[in-house]
Amino acid sequence: MEKILIIDDEAFIRENVERILQEDGYSVLGAASGREALEQVGDEDVDLVLLDLNLGPEDGIEVLKELKQFDPELLVIIITGFGSVESAVDALKLGAFHYMKKPFKADALRVIVKLALQTQSLKREVRNLRKGDVELFEKVPMVGASPAQLEINRQVREIARFPASTVLITGESGTGKELVAKAIHHLSDRREAPFIEINCASIPVNLLESELFGHEKGAFTDAVQRKLGLFEEASKGTIFLDEVGEMDPAMQAKLLRVLEERRIRRVGGTRNIDIDVRVIAATNRNLKKSIKEGGFREDLYYRLNVFPIRIPPLRERREDIPVLATFYLEQFNRTFSRGFQEIEPAALDLMRRYDWPGNIRELKNAIERICIMHSGPCLKPDHLPHELTQQNGQDMLTTQQWATELVLGLEEATERYESALIRQALEQTGGNVLQTAQLLKVPRGTLRYKMGKYGL
């Protein structure tokens, strides 16, 4: 049961809010002052705080600072009268989750409290993932809480115990095949040796053999000196053959021989060289289909497929989307110092609905782009790429979003959408103010005023 603390010096307000929230099944505590509140936060595991900025002789902003100093992760919703809206905005800059104007309706309070607790639950899930699989997470951030991701984590830990077995990782582009390969390496006894990767599709056919196996001086026109191949450079470690399904049939035969004999011969060389490497291969192709079509050797497939790991696309494990989004928001927020603290549930809902054809890579790039273009404290639906907000050609404004807008009030909701419309128009015109004004059918001076107002 979530525990909520109400800080207000007026007893009838505390009692009224307590009654509303208890009806929804929350455990509710009350405090009449900042000092009393800090004592309660120290003694109780509080999930959310409702803080009135007008606490008689006390300054609510100072109480907020003390609460955040005690627990930076604590979510605080500010309660404010009309005259102290400016202070509420200052509170948001200090890390408050949201603010509500007095007087507020019971339904509005319920919506904001629910959104805040959903956000808190998500952040705790990411922290628990870090704690629960700390060894794996410290080496490679395998983020996700779906049964599919937890099974992948289990498989990674299991195969890491057997440092000689080959691994075949399959999955669509952008699902994180390289990340899984690195995790296997870093958890294995080979972790101190090199992890070397090569994309088989990016190397011309006539150069791939030399890249993998090396060459002797004079082996071909440009071979002015001996060159070690990646199999030798990865000695005692791991070699990761990405996009192995694109490999030329002649190279497939040579790779098969290497895997069977555990030795290589440099191009132009006359002697075999023993190797000690683990081979991890990955592909986004259906290799069984390629075998039937004659594009991939069946014997090589079974040699690589000693330990198969399939990574499902993101659309098949949508429960991982909020966790991944929160993880990458924290990462890029630190990188770009943008002040993001939360993802608005309406934005998370849009993310869950989207199919993410580019999978985790697309999600990561979207969050990075948001952190470059926008600032916090809250990632909102209008920050998201156009394809998420206009899925299937329809405006994906959710019921939850409408509820949020009702809480915000007409003026603030109108400003939010006006800001989003101007931002989209600026993106469409490449930032040209005159063209944007013409597109929006407003005078240029009006547009400049609006851009300054919204910080665009």
Side-chain angles (χ1 to χ4, degrees), residues 223-242:
V224 296
Q225 61 183 10
R226 172 187 288 177
K227 176 185 179 296
L228 298 184
L230 298 184
F231 271 89
E232 287 183 85
E233 291 183 6
S235 180
K236 307 293 184 182
T238 302
I239 185 166
F240 175 52
L241 305 176
D242 198 9

Side-chain angles (χ1 to χ4, degrees), residues 20 35-36 39 84 86 97 181 191 299 309-310 317 359 427 443:
I20 294 169
R35 177 174 296 182
E36 185 182 349
E39 290 176 358
S84 55
E86 267 189 36
F97 176 77
R191 66 177 69 90
D299 46 5
I309 296 178
R310 176 186 176 268
R317 47 190 180 104
N359 292 294
E427 290 175 357

Side-chain angles (χ1 to χ4, degrees), residues 61-72:
I61 292 290
E62 291 303 316
V63 174
L64 173 63
K65 289 179 181 177
E66 291 180 20
L67 288 170
K68 282 291 186 179
Q69 187 174 9
F70 180 82
D71 181 2

Side-chain angles (χ1 to χ4, degrees), residues 329 333 338-342 370-371 374-379 383:
L329 184 65
N333 193 45
R338 290 312 233 174
F340 280 109
Q341 297 180 39
E342 323 292 345
I370 288 168
C371 288
H374 307 285
S375 58
C378 190
L379 192 159
H383 293 156

Side-chain angles (χ1 to χ4, degrees), residues 388-421:
L388 271 73
T389 57
Q390 298 290 324
Q391 295 173 46
N392 302 319
Q394 297 179 342
D395 186 352
M396 295 296 290
L397 189 66
T398 64
T399 302
Q400 193 175 46
Q401 242 181 305
W402 280 116
T404 302
E405 304 306 347
L406 288 172
V407 173
L408 292 173
L410 180 61
E411 182 179 354
E412 189 172 343
T414 302
E415 289 180 352
R416 173 180 293 189
Y417 284 100
E418 185 175 61
S419 169
L421 186 62

Side-chain angles (χ1 to χ4, degrees), residues 9-292:
D9 59 339
E10 297 184 74
F12 78 93
I13 292 181
R14 293 198 308 273
E15 291 166 2
N16 191 37
V17 172
E18 181 176 351
R19 177 184 54 78
I20 294 169
L21 296 179
Q22 282 181 340
E23 288 176 358
D24 288 350
Y26 300 119
S27 173
V28 185
L29 306 171
S33 66
R35 177 174 296 182
E36 185 182 349
L38 286 167
E39 290 176 358
Q40 297 229 39
V41 170
D43 294 337
E44 303 280 352
D45 187 14
V46 174
D47 297 287
L48 177 66
V49 171
L50 302 178
L51 170 62
D52 187 359
L53 286 183
N54 299 314
L55 291 174
E58 286 187 287
D59 183 355
I61 292 290
E62 291 303 316
V63 174
L64 173 63
K65 289 179 181 177
E66 291 180 20
L67 288 170
K68 282 291 186 179
Q69 187 174 9
F70 180 82
D71 181 2
E73 299 296 326
L74 185 63
L75 287 191
V76 181
I77 295 173
I78 297 299
I79 303 172
T80 177
F82 178 78
S84 55
V85 170
E86 267 189 36
S87 297
V89 173
D90 292 338
L92 292 179
K93 293 177 182 178
L94 290 171
F97 176 77
H98 209 306
Y99 73 89
M100 300 187 67
K101 298 177 187 177
K102 292 182 179 178
F104 49 80
K105 295 182 178 180
D107 287 344
L109 175 65
R110 289 188 173 102
V111 168
I112 293 300
V113 166
K114 183 178 180 180
L115 300 186
L117 290 173
Q118 285 177 347
T119 298
Q120 187 72 301
S121 175
L122 191 58
K123 294 180 77 171
R124 283 179 175 170
E125 191 171 353
V126 172
R127 290 198 298 271
N128 289 338
L129 279 172
R130 287 194 176 102
K131 293 176 183 176
D133 212 342
V134 65
E135 183 184 15
L136 183 57
F137 202 93
E138 283 178 352
K139 298 294 183 183
V140 181
M142 303 276 285
V143 180
S146 67
Q149 183 60 58
L150 295 178
E151 174 60 17
I152 291 169
N153 292 358
R154 187 194 68 78
Q155 290 177 318
V156 164
R157 288 191 297 270
E158 192 65 25
I159 189 58
R161 296 170 50 221
F162 302 96
S165 300
T166 55
V167 181
L168 180 61
I169 306 171
T170 57
E172 293 180 6
S173 179
T175 49
K177 297 185 289 293
E178 181 185 343
L179 204 64
V180 170
K182 286 181 177 178
I184 292 170
H185 172 76
H186 286 301
L187 290 180
S188 74
D189 291 340
R190 297 181 180 273
R191 66 177 69 90
E192 301 302 327
F195 175 88
I196 294 181
E197 54 194 287
I198 182 171
N199 188 312
C200 300
S202 65
I203 308 294
V205 173
N206 59 331
L207 296 180
L208 185 57
E209 182 178 4
S210 174
E211 284 293 316
L212 291 176
F213 309 137
H215 61 251
E216 297 289 353
K217 181 179 179 180
F220 45 85
T221 304
D222 295 326
V224 296
Q225 61 183 10
R226 172 187 288 177
K227 176 185 179 296
L228 298 184
L230 298 184
F231 271 89
E232 287 183 85
E233 291 183 6
S235 180
K236 307 293 184 182
T238 302
I239 185 166
F240 175 52
L241 305 176
D242 198 9
E243 302 303 342
V244 72
E246 309 301 320
M247 189 176 283
D248 177 78
M251 272 303 302
Q252 291 179 32
K254 293 174 181 178
L255 176 60
L256 175 63
R257 188 189 70 243
V258 168
L259 293 177
E260 288 178 338
E261 299 178 358
R262 311 303 294 180
R263 59 181 60 180
I264 63 161
R265 179 177 293 183
R266 300 190 191 111
V267 177
T270 57
R271 67 184 184 89
N272 293 327
I273 301 167
D274 292 334
I275 57 168
D276 176 15
V277 296
R278 184 211 285 277
V279 175
I280 301 178
T283 182
N284 57 19
R285 279 180 174 265
N286 183 332
L287 290 187
K288 289 186 176 180
K289 182 179 179 182
S290 295
I291 290 169
K292 290 180 180 178

